């Protein structure tokens, strides 16, 4: 009669014996139900364990457990959540199905990187903003771009008007009183001599006739160069006037 300890049992017999002595301890529901499916699972597990250390059994075929492969502390924050994995018939864990791991933060009112902060590194969606300055300023709020790559201020474009001489940037092009209607034409300053000729300009927010020539030394040229309403009074020749200008 052989030694009972050396008795070689079939996979099914081994499973039944383990069930009879309660080795499973109720950890696997239905594992000792005596079904062909459970016997086959046990057989595969035995084969994997007998194959050596190259492919050790990781689990008992058919069981399911919670899993999460994201960074520690991120599960349950933002979009991140755990999933479940199932032990396959080869006694190896399958993929973690249903889990959501951290991803790059985008502007979408969601905590994508699961750090506890929504839309960090972006202007807060809904915060006030403005574009332009002074007369050309309009207000709005920051909004996430459709692709989530950033934020944009939804303030409307400032209302513009034709430019006029008033010291304001009416057409909102960043320049004040430029190309105002009524400027650029010849005009009379009301002064005498060469100081009488002028050009219409917008100065200080008002249309004014700015004289073209400033008073200078009277030259004998039949003009009132010093604008004193007297022509060639105490005048100098051009040569004499040139010598006076030399240092």
């Amino acid at each position: 009669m052989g030694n009972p300890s050396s008795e070689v049992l079939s996979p099914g017999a081994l499973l039944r014996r383990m069930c009879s002595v309660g080795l499973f301890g109720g950890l696997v529901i239905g594992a000792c139900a005596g079904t062909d499916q459970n016997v086959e699972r046990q057989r595969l597990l035995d084969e994997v364990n007998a194959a050596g250390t190259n492919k050790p059994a990781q689990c008992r075929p058919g069981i399911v457990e919670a899993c999460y492969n994201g960074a520690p502390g991120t599960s349950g924050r933002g979009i991140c959540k755990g999933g479940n994995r199932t032990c396959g018939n080869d006694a190896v864990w399958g993929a973690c199905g249903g889990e959501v791991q951290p991803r790059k933060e985008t502007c979408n009112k969601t905590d994508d990187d699961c750090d506890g902060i929504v839309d960090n590194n972006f202007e807060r969606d809904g915060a006030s903003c403005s574009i332009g300055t002074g007369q050309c300023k309009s207000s709005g709020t920051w909004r996430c771009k459709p692709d989530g790559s950033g934020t944009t201020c939804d303030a409307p474009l400032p209302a513009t008007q034709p430019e006029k001489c008033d010291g304001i940037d009416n057409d909102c092009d960043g320049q004040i009183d430029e190309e105002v209607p009524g400027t650029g034409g010849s005009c009379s300053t009301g002064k005498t001599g060469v100081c009488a000729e002028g050009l219409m300009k917008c100065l200080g927010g008002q249309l004014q006739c700015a004289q073209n020539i400033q008073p200078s030394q009277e030259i004998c040229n039949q003009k009132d160069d010093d604008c004193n309403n007297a022509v060639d009074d105490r005048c100098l020749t051009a040569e004499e006037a040139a010598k006076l200008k030399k240092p």
Side-chain angles (χ1 to χ4, degrees), residues 4-18 20 43 46:
S5 63
S6 62
E7 180 182 0
V8 178
L9 299 177
S10 67
L14 177 60
L15 176 61
R16 286 191 291 275
R17 175 169 293 185
M18 293 175 70
S20 68
R43 183 186 69 78
D46 292 340

Side-chain angles (χ1 to χ4, degrees), residues 51-84:
T53 59
N54 290 335
K55 190 179 180 183
Q58 298 178 349
C59 52
R60 189 172 303 284
I63 66 172
V64 179
E65 72 172 16
C67 58
Y68 182 69
N69 296 307
T74 57
S75 181
R77 281 185 173 183
I79 64 171
C80 295
K81 64 178 182 178
N84 292 295

Side-chain angles (χ1 to χ4, degrees), residues 4 6 34 50 66 86 98 113 118 130 169 187-188 206:
S6 62
T86 301
D113 57 7
V118 176
S130 63
D169 182 13
C187 59
S188 176
Q206 294 183 344

